[in-house]
Amino acid sequence: MWLSRGCVKAATSSVGRRLSRAVAGGRRKSHAAAAAAAAVAVAAFMPEAAGFQGVRDRAGLHEFSVASKENFWAAVARRRLDWISPFRGVLDCDMERGKVSWFRGGQLNVSVNCLDRHARGSPEKVALIWERDEPGSEVKVTYRQLLEMTCRAGNLLRRHGVKRGDCVTIYMPPCPLAVASMLACARVGAAHNVVFAGFSAEALAERIRDARSSTVITVNESVRGGKVTRLKATVDQAVRSCPTVRQVFVVMRTDTPVAMTTADVAMEEEMMSEDVVCEPAAMDSEDVLFLLYTSGSTGKPKGLVHTQAGYLLYTALTHKYVFDYHDGDVFGCVADIGWITGHSYAVYGPLANGGTTVLFESTPVYPDPGRYWEMVERLKINQFYGAPTAIRLLLKYGDQWVRKYDRSSLRTLGSVGEPINTEAWEWYHSVVGDGRCPVVDTWWQTETGGICIAPRPSEPHAEIVPGMAMRPFFGIKPALMDGQGQVVTSDGASGALCLTQPWPGMARSIHNDHQRFVDTYFKTYPGYFFTGDGAHRSEDGYYQITGRLDDVINVSGHRIGTAEIEDVVNHCSAVAESAVIGCSHHIKGQGVYAFVVLKQDAQEADLASQINSSVSNKIAKYACPDHIQFVQRLPKTRSGKIMRRVLRKVVERDLDGLGDLSTLDDPAAVQEIIQGHRDLCAKQEKSSSSSSSSSSHDDGK
């Protein structure tokens, strides 16, 4: 049958339309299937995302967490924490007054979230691996054992009068009973104040007095790097100037007996008579969980206040998603419990997630530079979290100490405490991680409670740029501020790093001084949290931390205020005044450089060793000046302010960057300091050269 041209055209057109509709329908189904698959994938990554409208990928999940922060954190809190009483409100915030509270009306117990709920389901699962100083002598503690230890300690504290609202000072090295003591405080409703066991008696006493502790927990001795330190003796000296202290609980780390006073209690012996069940206190979300003292620019350490629910939730979430932690993994955070890293990622974060966490008692080079990697092989560690200072130190010993051991268990490598330089990052990634483990360079502070910026979480296989923290965590929205206090909106720019909105893990106050909290973190840029750090945002929108903007030095990841060191130096009888700045250090990241003016007729001989001894005794060894330059006078403005900017430029050898010196009272002082710095450098280089020559000669023998 013949068809006209019109009929043929119409038929063809009809077929084409049906074909187009079929193709379009197929595409829609394909797009819908892809969207559904993406939604399933993001829900598998974070189950709460199934209830977040419009979230289709991990980038969308972050956008939702910032734009709908209350919905995001409420969903996460309901799913990931066990509540005694549910919270009624999510967030109450006034950033300008430094007033922040999360999960109002909610009640819970942190120790129950870290222990009981895991011990019920998996009592024999390992909670802690105590990596003692001697390799191969590790001790494993199950969730059942840690719960029993915590309950006995909690009952002991209660029997000795420790009650809700008290603050217990803990001066101990990393060990299971230190963790149990922290959790026992949380169980009975007392706050804890963990003081790094390397601090001097004077520094310890200052923190005990400010916390108003009536109870101290310590050990007879600590063992680190083959060296024994008498901690009980340090506590004895400290409590003489602490009238609030009524009792000191003493744990026996070694077999060496110690003199016990009437105020001392043999903790382990007394715990054995306590019951293994301890009723947990119902704590409000915003009750104090712990104080942790960190240095500030005024010289007086500040006791940052962290509270219950928000802190625990934030550490748990960051621990899981930054490090890609999965059930059954062994998490190796080698930080001391005396620092916030040890609190968040050796104790609370891993235990809240029901994980297995390592407590590292030793040093990176004891008994040799392979210690970390021998431990990784022996304990089958999956995530390793350490400081750039240690990485730079180990890099100098060569690859052989790493390659000697099997590191195939490692999946994620982490860096914490300070920005990691590119050379150390590359070595960490290519040698330690065999080029297969992502390196997460994490930025956060004692004040933030947990990690705020890190390369992960991100889309699978997303790029990681060496030496950059990169991506804000869920709920974190950074901003860069210029010199006029305006937000920098462009990429490829630098400024003062601020956070624009509250997050659950942030500190709530400074103990006994909320106004200082406001002045330090909220006054500089009203409506923003000022971190004190500078940052650069790349053209791709990634963040790189450029360092401190205030007078705080970051030594091996430990922040110390310049004023605190100056105060000790100035107390030396021969010193008239001093100025301390941070300087570049190839191992520690930052070192301490002290300019010292002597009193009339005072002699320089042996004074450097006296200054270092004084700083070691009154603060800690890590705060000792690496360089001491004796000067006739310091560069000051006419109003008497020391121009530390000028001193930094001299030490950095950036004389072109000295800038306008017309405001100085005596510009000639700068030239004297420049020449003195040159002389000191020449002297140190000559000494270093002589030492190397002598060492080579000795080796030749």
Side-chain angles (χ1 to χ4, degrees), residues 156 248-252 260 264-271:
L156 180 64
V248 176
F249 292 94
V250 183
V251 176
M252 298 299 289
M260 300 286 279
D264 296 336
V265 179
M267 188 167 186
E268 292 146 303
E269 184 180 323
E270 291 289 317
M271 280 174 58

Side-chain angles (χ1 to χ4, degrees), residues 194-461:
V194 181
V195 179
F196 172 57
F199 275 125
S200 67
E202 190 167 325
L204 172 61
E206 184 177 20
R207 287 156 174 79
I208 292 173
R209 288 193 298 266
D210 191 74
R212 298 169 186 168
S213 290
S214 62
T215 300
V216 177
I217 306 176
T218 190
V219 297
N220 64 331
E221 297 176 326
S222 66
V223 185
R224 188 172 186 267
K227 297 178 181 178
V228 175
T229 303
R230 298 168 59 214
L231 293 193
K232 172 62 163 56
T234 303
V235 172
D236 288 344
Q237 183 181 343
V239 299
R240 292 190 192 110
S241 61
C242 301
T244 60
V245 175
R246 293 185 292 103
Q247 56 199 358
V248 176
F249 292 94
V250 183
V251 176
M252 298 299 289
R253 168 60 183 90
T254 69
D255 294 330
T256 305
V258 290
M260 300 286 279
T261 71
T262 55
D264 296 336
V265 179
M267 188 167 186
E268 292 146 303
E269 184 180 323
E270 291 289 317
M271 280 174 58
M272 293 312 297
S273 63
E274 299 293 342
D275 193 50
V276 295
V277 176
C278 177
E279 183 65 24
M283 304 300 291
D284 293 337
S285 294
E286 287 298 325
D287 283 338
V288 178
L289 177 61
F290 65 84
L291 308 182
L292 191 57
Y293 285 82
T294 186
S295 293
S297 58
T298 65
K300 176 180 169 60
K302 50 184 184 283
L304 288 160
V305 176
H306 281 285
T307 55
Q308 309 271 332
Y311 169 80
L312 187 65
L313 178 66
Y314 195 75
T315 56
L317 205 69
T318 49
H319 171 254
K320 175 167 177 56
Y321 287 105
V322 171
F323 299 101
D324 189 31
Y325 185 86
H326 293 276
D327 188 41
D329 287 350
V330 176
F331 189 78
C333 172
V334 292
D336 193 280
I337 60 166
W339 308 114
I340 188 64
T341 306
H343 278 55
S344 298
Y345 299 111
V347 180
Y348 286 112
L351 294 180
N353 287 329
T356 298
T357 181
V358 175
L359 296 173
F360 185 69
E361 185 182 44
S362 194
T363 76
V365 293
Y366 180 78
D368 57 51
R371 177 59 186 271
Y372 277 167
W373 323 124
E374 185 276 332
M375 177 180 70
V376 166
E377 175 183 282
R378 177 165 37 84
L379 302 184
K380 300 292 186 289
I381 290 173
N382 303 109
Q383 294 87 8
F384 182 87
Y385 196 29
T389 300
I391 302 306
R392 285 191 290 267
L393 173 65
L394 296 174
L395 186 157
K396 305 299 181 185
Y397 286 97
D399 300 355
Q400 67 273 17
W401 288 106
V402 182
R403 300 195 189 282
K404 183 178 179 181
Y405 299 102
D406 179 7
R407 303 163 327 282
S408 59
S409 62
L410 288 173
R411 288 205 320 273
T412 302
L413 299 172
S415 170
V416 59
E418 59 186 300
I420 186 170
N421 56 302
T422 302
E423 181 192 12
W425 191 100
E426 294 284 4
W427 183 82
Y428 199 25
H429 178 256
S430 61
V431 178
V432 176
D434 286 327
R436 59 180 180 76
C437 299
V439 175
V440 289
D441 176 14
T442 62
W443 174 84
W444 58 297
Q445 303 171 328
T446 305
E447 294 87 339
T448 71
I451 296 164
C452 290
I453 306 178
R456 297 287 190 263
S458 65
E459 298 297 339
H461 311 299

